[in-house]
Amino acid sequence: MQQFQKEIPQQPQITPQPNQQQSKTIIYIENLDQGISEDYLYRKFKEVGEIQSLKITKDKQTQKSKGQAFITFLHPDSAEEARKKFNNQIFIRNNIRVKPYFNFHGADKKANIFIHNLPEDADDLELEQEFSRFGTVLSVDVHRDQTGKQLNYGYVQFERKEDAENLIKRILNHPLTHKGKLLKLEQFKAQSERKVESTSIYLRAFAAPLSQQLMSHDIVVRSFEYGWSLVIKDYLTRIQGDQLKDCFVKIDQVTRQPWAMITFETFDQAKANLDICESQRKHPCFISGAHNAIELIKKFGPPANSDGSLPFTIEQITPYFEEMKKDPHDIFKGESDNFFFNMVYSKHLNPDERLIIIQNIKEDVTKEQISEFLGQFGKVIRLTIRKTKNPRFQVQQCFVHYQTLEDSKRARSELYDDSNEKICKQRKEIFKDGHAVANILLSKTMRKEFKEIKKQSQNIFTNPGGRQLLQPQLQTFQMMPPMPFPHPHPPRNPPRGARYPFTQQQQRPMQRPPAIRPTEPIRMEKQPASFLEEFMNYQTVQNRMEDFLKIPNDAQRQVLGNLLFQKVFDIVKEKESTKKVVGMLIDPSQFDIGDILNMFDDVNELQTYIDEGLQLIHDEQQAN
């Protein structure tokens, strides 16, 4: 095998760079089983032609196969035959993927097209055949995740940038479909070249729902979607003078209302149209009629499918448009009560400030009550009531989406207006202790990042004059002397292995570490002290959850902090550090009551928080 062991570095970095003709003789193989050797590949692939070199790439440290290989044949026809014969074939246990080698460094970036919305069973060879109708294709690559699962996007590299540019222009009027999926194409841009500003706006539910009867006809749906795209383009280009890159319209199968994605040439144009929606709560481009839509279709003609066929003819759709013209609820009039609009940003970087999460809602408050209360601040597009996952501690929270940014700002401002007697009275009826909590809803990624930032910010280390660890809200976390259980009988079925710092269970005496045996009872304010006696262990909290939730929020945290002390001490083994960690765990800026209760049920979660707290303590000690 020595003659086949010519070194070929991992794609795409090959030195010296092979020219285009040489590249056609090289294939790139992915998803190889760890047990496959170069001898095995040689025996398989020599069936299609003479092999000049073969190399399986390996990890430099472990020398284990990366599951990738390069094979160079003597003739390009052999490489092409290898792709057709072995792509998606099972070698030992894995389906391998055989691709042509392509030197991306020497390619024209302007001839590269990004494809998304690919079907789940998209195949490189089939896509290459499809795109070859528009020019010479050098490479097609459908991306996959780390597990090998095929994703819905990829890239196609043409030989000439003119072919790529012509295809991008063509799909504006002649959409391209593959296996029933409408493909979305755009010119590839490197990360550094991509603009931060968005040039696209998303408009949803801008017209009345289409009748269920008409939704059952594919020709009607397709023609109405096409008619809407022409109506929107006509207004924006002819009336407003905007320049459009794309206008894509679909009718939602559930709501039966249309939505549109409009891409402008510049950010300023997109922002100006979004401002129109914000100020008018609608957009004039939607105010038209079925008569105008059918006239535009007659003017520009029906759209073409990817194979050149027509989805419908003018004669087929005219009766439906004539019927819609007579309908008082003509959807092309653009009338809607739940119109929604947004700039198409990355959700990771740009949260929608109109989406608010409302918390601290009483358990018995209905969706109708909260909807009526929040509706007085502005137009509510969508409102959802949810409860926390913990079955023992179900807290209601509300997600509300306002139509405009002004509505959202007004809600977040007037919600806390103590000078408004009406609002104050309603708050007391809806929120616990009359205290409303409203925040902009961040994406999952941003919430995770924000949580990490909070752990290292002054929410944990607070002191205007310098950094200092946040101390527990209790006067001290020393343990109280054993107290009798307040009920005639001990709680049934206590959690296995549970130990509570303030409970003397009759069946199993508490063994406390002598190092933290107190010399005097814990010092508490008079009011909370009774709650500590009333809820002496977590089992009591569980059994009397309804009563527990009625006590003040601060007292709830003190009770749970008291019960957490022994659990944390069993891990930390040091009293002062335990006090500081527990102080973090009951800090209202870090965890709500539901999160703290989950710590009793999820040992791994509690261990994670303890480790993070100890690390913060260590960092603070190093800093001082």
Side-chain angles (χ1 to χ4, degrees), residues 255-472:
T255 65
R256 309 195 307 278
Q257 291 179 282
W259 59 267
M261 188 79 73
I262 306 173
T263 303
F264 297 84
E265 283 288 345
T266 66
F267 166 77
D268 291 338
Q269 291 178 348
K271 183 64 169 62
N273 281 278
L274 198 73
D275 290 341
I276 292 174
C277 298
E278 176 77 27
S279 60
Q280 300 183 17
R281 298 179 184 269
K282 59 182 178 181
H283 197 291
C285 72
F286 303 128
I287 304 174
S288 183
H291 173 74
N292 185 34
I294 189 63
E295 289 301 318
L296 288 170
I297 294 177
K298 291 177 181 178
K299 178 180 177 181
F300 292 98
N305 293 322
S306 59
D307 58 2
S309 63
L310 299 178
F312 53 80
T313 64
I314 301 296
E315 292 74 18
Q316 285 177 313
I317 65 173
T318 298
Y320 296 109
F321 280 84
E322 290 295 330
E323 181 183 347
M324 183 58 68
K325 285 195 306 186
K326 301 173 185 177
D327 192 334
H329 302 292
D330 179 358
I331 70 166
F332 289 95
K333 291 181 179 179
E335 298 173 348
S336 174
D337 292 330
N338 59 336
F339 173 48
F340 173 80
F341 50 90
N342 198 15
M343 186 76 81
V344 181
Y345 284 119
S346 166
K347 293 181 180 178
H348 168 70
L349 297 174
N350 303 278
D352 189 348
E353 294 187 31
R354 294 170 298 173
L355 180 56
I356 304 174
I357 178 172
I358 310 291
Q359 297 172 302
N360 204 39
I361 304 171
K362 291 181 179 179
E363 287 79 7
D364 56 350
V365 172
T366 65
K367 182 177 181 179
E368 289 72 23
Q369 286 177 283
I370 191 69
S371 179
E372 181 181 356
F373 173 69
L374 296 174
Q376 64 187 321
F377 304 120
K379 177 68 177 177
V380 174
I381 296 298
R382 184 173 63 250
L383 186 144
T384 307
I385 295 285
R386 295 181 187 172
K387 291 191 175 182
T388 52
K389 296 180 180 180
N390 191 334
R392 301 189 187 96
F393 185 77
Q394 293 195 346
V395 177
Q396 287 199 112
Q397 54 188 10
C398 167
F399 299 87
V400 57
H401 216 145
Y402 282 100
Q403 186 179 46
T404 68
L405 185 59
E406 286 303 315
D407 293 340
S408 172
K409 289 180 178 178
R410 181 185 173 192
R412 284 178 279 145
S413 173
E414 296 186 11
L415 192 62
Y416 300 105
D417 187 3
D418 293 332
S419 64
N420 190 321
E421 294 183 3
K422 179 183 176 182
I423 298 297
C424 289
K425 181 179 178 182
Q426 291 175 323
R427 282 208 313 254
K428 291 178 181 178
E429 295 173 352
I430 294 175
F431 300 98
K432 297 175 183 177
D433 302 324
H435 177 60
V437 179
N439 293 294
I440 295 171
L441 183 64
L442 303 179
S443 67
K444 185 176 181 180
T445 304
M446 290 191 73
R447 289 199 300 271
K448 184 177 180 180
E449 290 181 356
F450 183 61
K451 186 176 180 180
E452 292 299 320
I453 292 172
K454 284 174 65 179
K455 289 176 182 177
Q456 302 176 32
S457 69
Q458 291 186 350
N459 287 327
I460 292 291
F461 301 115
T462 58
N463 189 335
R467 299 206 311 168
Q468 179 180 355
L469 277 171
L470 178 68
Q471 295 298 315

Side-chain angles (χ1 to χ4, degrees), residues 37 66 103 108 125 168 184 203 205 212 449 491 520 584 593:
S37 65
K66 291 183 178 181
N103 175 23
D108 188 346
L125 289 174
I168 293 294
K184 299 178 182 179
L203 308 169
Q212 192 68 57
E449 290 181 356
E520 58 180 357
M584 298 177 194
I593 297 298

Side-chain angles (χ1 to χ4, degrees), residues 33-47:
D33 191 278
Q34 287 287 328
I36 288 181
S37 65
E38 292 177 344
D39 289 331
Y40 180 93
L41 288 180
Y42 175 72
R43 287 196 301 270
K44 285 283 188 180
F45 282 86
K46 75 173 184 177
E47 299 173 8

